[in-house]
Amino acid sequence: MNKKRKSPLWMLVPMGVIIVVLSIVLIVITLKSGNQKSEAVSASQVQNKESENRGKESVKENKSGSKDIKDAAGAEPGETDTGPAEIYVSSDIPQKVKDKVKSMSLEQKAAQLFFVTPEDITQVDAATVAGEDTKKAYEQYPVGGIVYFSRNIQGPEQLSGMLAKTQDYAEEIAGVPVFLGVDEEGGEVSRVAGNKNFSVTEYESMRAIGDSKDTSQAYDVGKTLASYLKELGFNIDFAPNADVITNSGNTVIGDRSFGEDPQLVADMASQVVKGLQDNGVSACLKHFPGHGGTIEDSHEGRAYTDKTLEEMEEKELLPFKEGIKADPDFIMAGHISIPKSLGDNTPASLSEKVLTGLLRDRYGYDGIIITDALNMKAVSGVYSPAEASVKAILAGADMLLMPDDFRAAYNGVLEAVEEGDLSEERIDASVERILRLKMEKYL
């Protein structure tokens, strides 16, 4: 019978070594995998921290910046336009402005963001005088701006008296002026010139000015408008219109536009800005990023363009890009939906990709961004007053024009801060920009 042979000791040694080596290799692979995961988490944390830090600094770029518009202002179609913009903090705020903002309560700062009708704060049917009721209302709601319409305008003495008293109340109560604004484009939209009780220059239309191809005429328009608006007591004119007519079916803009040539519109609008501001009245380029390519009227509902932002840069956006060089104190954001670039139907006025990504980051605009009237159906038919106001601020707007329900909107902003959906730092950035203009030009 054969006996089972035992393996010699020298054969067991290599096998043990192999097992040990394999164990070490497995341990190294496991540790390396863990380190890679740790490094990935660490890198993500660093990127988040850098993004957070950028939000505390100015993100202003050169006006001729090299950023691709897709990176700066939008996403591929299909992505939604959600989330707050990085906080765009102006780098040249005077210390006196910073000190004033620090001295204000949250309620006072929130009120400065609103540009409303006198009826919104007084609750009267049609305000034509400014008396004790106006003063009490302003004490409760020291808004940043008040806009006046035909119902408020009866004659020169009545209007100048009402505006003077309102301004006195504002400076007494808030310690800073209030913006007193009006739509006085020249032509069809002229609240003052359109009233037969005023003996001021009337213009046929801005299209007629554009057809002249004489930019000096555009400057004279701004100068003339400013001459009588300033005398009456206004300090803001919601003009000029910088929309380029790129769709022949457009009716909401029509002959309010200087024409169909983007460069001509840019030149004309820039000269109106200079004519207004050289003569003591702040200008407001509107309606960014361009309403001339739409068919729908945003007063009645959604207004769309089937172009991308890249395509709009060739025409509709040119007057704004060029107009910024004239240093307009305001730019008004329109309620135009750009689904091919934004990926959804978010109005431009509520889009951080348009207001912060494009207007601030790419074009380098550091003036006041104001929304078009938020009571227009393109916004009020979709969002509540509070929701629209908070979304606009998060997107990068500084001032909110005429929300559908001012008090609901105002309280909504305060609640958003209390709930952590909107930071006080974000509000401060806009209030600093607003007070910078008020204290430098109108105090």
Side-chain angles (χ1 to χ4, degrees):
M1 186 174 178
N2 293 329
K3 292 184 179 180
K4 193 171 184 179
R5 298 179 62 183
K6 294 181 179 179
S7 299
L9 184 61
W10 62 270
M11 293 180 65
L12 297 176
V13 173
M15 292 176 65
V17 171
I18 292 171
I19 291 171
V20 170
V21 171
L22 288 173
S23 298
I24 293 172
V25 170
L26 287 172
I27 291 171
V28 170
I29 292 173
T30 302
L31 289 174
K32 188 173 182 180
S33 176
N35 286 339
Q36 288 175 337
K37 291 180 180 177
S38 176
E39 289 171 3
V41 171
S42 176
S44 175
Q45 291 172 340
V46 169
Q47 289 174 348
N48 289 339
K49 185 65 177 176
E50 288 175 349
S51 177
E52 183 181 11
N53 289 338
R54 283 197 303 271
K56 297 177 182 178
E57 300 172 355
S58 171
V59 292
K60 183 175 179 181
E61 293 187 0
N62 190 295
K63 293 176 184 176
S64 60
S66 59
K67 240 185 202 182
D68 183 77
I69 194 168
K70 192 172 292 181
D71 295 330
E76 295 289 351
E79 293 185 41
T80 56
D81 188 24
T82 58
E86 291 181 341
I87 299 174
Y88 187 100
V89 180
S90 297
S91 59
D92 61 345
I93 301 296
Q95 190 59 46
K96 65 178 181 179
V97 174
K98 292 182 179 180
D99 292 341
K100 176 62 179 177
V101 174
K102 287 179 182 178
S103 73
M104 298 167 70
S105 67
L106 173 61
E107 290 76 13
Q108 291 171 326
K109 290 186 290 189
Q112 283 292 311
L113 304 179
F114 288 89
F115 210 124
V116 299
T117 68
E119 292 81 9
D120 283 329
I121 60 172
T122 61
Q123 300 290 283
V124 301
D125 291 334
T128 55
V129 296
E132 284 302 310
D133 288 342
T134 298
K135 184 176 182 179
K136 289 178 181 178
Y138 199 84
E139 286 174 343
Q140 185 175 5
Y141 299 108
V143 293
I146 301 177
V147 58
Y148 297 85
F149 289 87
S150 298
R151 64 177 176 269
N152 309 119
I153 300 172
Q154 296 178 335
E157 291 185 9
Q158 167 268 334
L159 181 57
S160 59
M162 178 172 61
L163 297 183
K165 283 189 177 180
T166 302
Q167 192 62 267
D168 288 343
Y169 295 150
E171 294 188 19
E172 176 186 343
I173 294 166
V176 291
V178 60
F179 290 137
L180 300 175
V182 67
D183 287 300
E184 193 76 6
E185 297 176 6
E188 179 185 353
V189 179
S190 299
R191 312 300 182 194
V192 176
N195 187 310
K196 64 181 187 323
N197 294 323
F198 291 82
S199 298
V200 297
T201 301
E202 295 184 61
Y203 293 96
E204 176 187 348
S205 68
M206 289 303 99
R207 181 56 183 259
I209 300 297
D211 287 344
S212 75
K213 299 186 178 356
D214 182 357
T215 55
S216 69
Q217 287 191 31
Y219 183 89
D220 288 342
V221 168
K223 181 179 179 180
T224 299
L225 297 177
S227 66
Y228 65 79
L229 291 179
K230 182 179 180 181
E231 183 177 353
L232 289 167
F234 289 109
N235 49 27
I236 309 296
D237 185 9
F238 290 116
N241 195 304
D243 298 307
V244 182
I245 298 298
T246 58
N247 188 325
S248 59
N250 183 291
T251 57
V252 66
I253 302 300
D255 64 6
R256 298 165 61 192
S257 166
F258 290 104
E260 301 170 359
D261 179 348
Q263 190 60 56
L264 175 68
V265 173
D267 294 341
M268 292 289 179
S270 295
Q271 288 302 311
V272 175
V273 168
K274 292 177 181 178
L276 282 165
Q277 295 189 173
D278 286 351
N279 293 280
V281 173
S282 291
C284 178
L285 276 179
K286 60 184 185 183
H287 307 81
F288 186 83
H291 219 313
T294 64
I295 295 178
E296 304 85 0
D297 184 346
S298 54
H299 291 85
E300 305 299 330
R302 296 273 198 187
Y304 300 86
T305 177
D306 60 1
K307 295 184 178 182
T308 64
L309 283 170
E310 291 92 330
E311 291 170 332
M312 292 179 74
E313 269 220 309
E314 297 176 4
K315 292 185 177 180
E316 287 90 345
L317 283 162
L318 180 63
F320 294 98
K321 185 176 180 180
E322 293 293 313
I324 287 171
K325 298 174 184 177
D327 200 21
D329 289 332
F330 288 77
I331 288 181
M332 179 182 288
H335 307 316
I336 304 119
S337 294
I338 315 168
K340 284 190 177 179
S341 279
L342 301 186
D344 61 14
N345 293 323
T346 303
S349 55
L350 309 184
S351 168
E352 62 91 7
K353 293 170 187 172
V354 175
L355 300 191
T356 297
L358 184 61
L359 187 50
R360 293 285 191 217
D361 291 354
R362 183 171 173 80
Y363 292 165
Y365 181 63
D366 192 33
I368 296 171
I369 298 176
I370 185 170
T371 68
D372 203 346
L374 294 174
N375 61 6
M376 294 162 67
K377 293 299 182 183
V379 172
S380 64
V382 182
Y383 308 94
S384 71
E387 185 181 11
S389 297
V390 172
K391 283 179 70 68
I393 296 168
L394 289 173
D398 299 303
M399 299 197 78
L400 310 167
L401 181 63
M402 296 167 54
D404 200 34
D405 182 331
F406 161 62
R407 299 188 183 202
Y410 171 73
N411 289 325
V413 170
L414 294 177
E415 289 170 9
V417 176
E418 292 171 4
E419 294 172 4
D421 297 324
L422 177 63
S423 71
E424 192 165 353
E425 179 187 24
R426 171 65 193 86
I427 290 176
D428 287 352
S430 286
V431 176
E432 286 182 351
R433 198 172 290 113
I434 292 164
L435 296 193
R436 175 180 62 187
L437 177 59
K438 290 184 174 185
M439 295 173 74
E440 286 183 352
K441 283 195 174 182
Y442 301 117
L443 186 61

